[in-house]
């Protein structure tokens, strides 16, 4: 439920060495929010910048009480930056955007209106017309997005768009760790927030500086997607995965070994000696199968124990308390 008497908006801006953009960015946010009568606060998160970004933010803060900022001691990554600001944001709607001016602050009012009027949990930006390098960004990101859609069932074109709007309770309920900023809508969907939609947003080439993510983004993005898939399917019940695969492998190994033993006995009973069980490749296969099966079973068991001992950690989402 959105209460219109409180602070409308928290605008969260993670940044790493974006000194050229900050003043213009702030000016445009200020202009568009005051012309639409939106009350807002800004949370800059300086993710270990080594340029003048922080002192520019300090200067903005002097004249503008709605500016808040967090400065990390070193570069922890965009996910951590979002995490820190999500915990502190007070607005009824939270908007995240990149600091590099690739996203347009002028989109803010409409994103806000969609969350409030459409009662959406998340309105995610979609850079339909994208101004990045085709080979290093646009194509790979198409692949990623379609994989993420398949894995998560969340129907978005552009999971990783920096410009997104959230209902406050969404950002308070999810835990953005690792490099999971790419998949926040999936985290939210896993936490039970299913009213997710997208809005086409304008995008432009980076006017200043360079991209802060290199090619390692693909490897990390892929691994995080695998983690997400696994955690969302089996995270609450690891035994169902490891136990099932482990038991299956053990049974195959066991019967293979049994067959070997029986054929040896039959051979001996017929008076045929000299063939060693270890000459048969199935001996090694069955041995490995039984070993791996046992190990997987133990992994599942340990997983269950870990979950049990972490029970006090919140893993449910409350809709309303009256
Ligand atoms: N960023 C950050 N920490 C990092 C890397 C990036 O806070 O470790 C910020 C960056 O300053 C920008 C936003 O995250 O505001 C998106 O980064 P970038 O524009 O480099 O990503 P791209 O648009 O190339 O995907
Ligand atoms: Mg960018």
């Amino acid at each position: 439920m959105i209460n219109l008497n409180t602070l409308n908006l928290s605008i969260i801006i993670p940044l790493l060495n974006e000194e050229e953009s900050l003043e213009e960015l702030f000016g445009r946010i200020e202009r568009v929010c005051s012309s639409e009568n939106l009350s807002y606060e800004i949370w800059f998160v300086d993710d270990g910048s080594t340029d003048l970004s922080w002192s520019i933010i300090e200067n903005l803060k002097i004249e503008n009480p709605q500016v808040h900022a967090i400065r990390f001691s070193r570069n922890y990554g965009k996910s951590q930056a979002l995490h820190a600001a999500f915990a502190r944001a007070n607005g009824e709607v939270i908007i995240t955007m990149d600091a590099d001016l690739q996203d347009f602050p002028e989109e803010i009012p409409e994103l806000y209106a969609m969350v409030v009027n459409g009662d959406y949990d998340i309105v995610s930006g979609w850079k339909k017309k994208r101004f990045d390098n085709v080979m290093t960004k646009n194509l790979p990101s198409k692949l990623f997005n379609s994989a993420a859609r398949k894995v998560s069932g969340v129907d978005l074109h552009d999971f990783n768009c920096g410009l997104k709007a959230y209902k406050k309770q969404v950002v308070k309920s999810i835990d953005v760790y690792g490099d999971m900023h790419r998949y926040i809508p999936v985290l939210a969907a896993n936490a039970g927030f299913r009213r997710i939609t997208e809005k086409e947003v304008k995008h432009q080439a980076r006017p200043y500086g360079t991209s802060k993510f290199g090619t390692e983004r693909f490897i990390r993005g892929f691994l995080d997607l695998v983690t997400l898939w696994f955690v969302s399917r089996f995270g609450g019940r690891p035994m169902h995965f490891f136990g099932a695969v482990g038991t299956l492998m053990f049974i195959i190994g066991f019967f293979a070994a049994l067959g070997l033993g029986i054929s040896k006995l039959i051979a001996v009973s017929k008076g045929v000696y000299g063939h060693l069980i270890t000459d048969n490749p199935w001996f090694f296969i069955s041995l490995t199968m039984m070993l791996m099966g046992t190990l997987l079973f133990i992994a599942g068991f340990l997983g269950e124990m870990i979950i049990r001992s972490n029970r006090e950690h919140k893993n449910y989402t409350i809709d309303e308390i009256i």
Side-chain angles (χ1 to χ4, degrees), residues 248-269:
L248 187 74
M249 290 185 87
F250 188 89
I251 288 173
I252 296 173
F254 178 78
F255 280 106
L258 195 69
L260 280 177
I262 290 173
S263 67
K264 177 75 181 174
L265 282 179
I266 292 174
V268 170
S269 73

Side-chain angles (χ1 to χ4, degrees), residues 186-313:
V186 185
L187 294 177
N190 285 346
F193 297 101
R194 298 253 159 211
R195 290 189 54 82
I196 299 175
T197 191
E198 61 190 352
K199 172 190 181 304
E200 261 182 57
V201 293
K202 277 197 276 184
H203 187 242
Q204 68 175 3
R206 219 181 211 283
Y208 312 102
T210 51
S211 173
K212 306 300 185 289
F213 294 101
T215 38
E216 84 285 349
R217 73 164 77 212
F218 302 125
I219 298 156
R220 294 194 189 170
F222 170 75
L223 292 177
D224 284 341
L225 191 62
V226 174
T227 308
L228 260 185
W229 170 78
F230 190 80
V231 169
S232 63
R233 293 200 83 159
F234 300 107
R237 46 195 179 93
M239 198 53 167
H240 289 191
F241 177 79
F242 291 108
V245 180
T247 309
L248 187 74
M249 290 185 87
F250 188 89
I251 288 173
I252 296 173
F254 178 78
F255 280 106
L258 195 69
L260 280 177
I262 290 173
S263 67
K264 177 75 181 174
L265 282 179
I266 292 174
V268 170
S269 73
K270 286 183 181 162
V272 184
Y273 294 94
H275 275 294
L276 293 174
I277 282 187
T278 49
D279 288 341
N280 189 326
W282 270 104
F283 173 78
F284 300 99
I285 296 173
S286 66
L287 199 69
T288 316
M289 287 283 218
M290 285 198 285
L291 267 175
M292 295 213 355
T294 313
L295 286 177
L296 284 171
F297 202 86
I298 292 173
F301 192 64
L302 287 177
E304 294 286 340
M305 305 274 272
I306 291 168
I307 290 179
R308 229 153 280 264
S309 70
N310 279 345
R311 270 289 143 79
E312 63 274 20
H313 289 260

Side-chain angles (χ1 to χ4, degrees), residues 14-16 18 47 75 77-78 98-100 102 137 206 210-213 217:
L15 62 115
L16 173 63
E18 308 280 6
D47 184 14
N75 177 235
K78 191 175 176 184
D98 291 351
D100 56 2
Q102 287 197 274
K137 278 255 189 80
R206 219 181 211 283
T210 51
S211 173
K212 306 300 185 289
F213 294 101
R217 73 164 77 212

Side-chain angles (χ1 to χ4, degrees), residues 13-18 22 25 45-49 72 75-82 97-103 127 130 132 137 160 162 179 181-182 203-204 206 208 210-214 217 220:
I13 305 170
L15 62 115
L16 173 63
N17 297 333
E18 308 280 6
L22 294 174
L25 181 69
V45 189
D46 182 351
D47 184 14
S49 296
F72 280 175
N75 177 235
Y76 285 100
K78 191 175 176 184
S79 290
Q80 294 305 300
L82 292 176
M97 62 188 302
D98 291 351
D100 56 2
L101 295 171
Q102 287 197 274
D103 304 328
K127 307 175 293 256
R130 199 174 165 171
D132 285 315
K137 278 255 189 80
N160 190 21
D179 271 355
H181 62 267
R182 297 198 176 85
H203 187 242
Q204 68 175 3
R206 219 181 211 283
Y208 312 102
T210 51
S211 173
K212 306 300 185 289
F213 294 101
R217 73 164 77 212
R220 294 194 189 170

Side-chain angles (χ1 to χ4, degrees), residues 6 8 43 50 75 95 119 128 131-132 141-142 146 165 216 231 255 270 285 296 315-316:
T6 50
N8 298 141
W43 282 93
T50 49
N75 177 235
I95 289 188
D119 195 29
K128 193 170 184 187
F131 294 86
D132 285 315
S141 101
K142 279 218 165 75
S146 80
E216 84 285 349
V231 169
F255 280 106
K270 286 183 181 162
I285 296 173
L296 284 171
N315 59 4
Y316 50 82

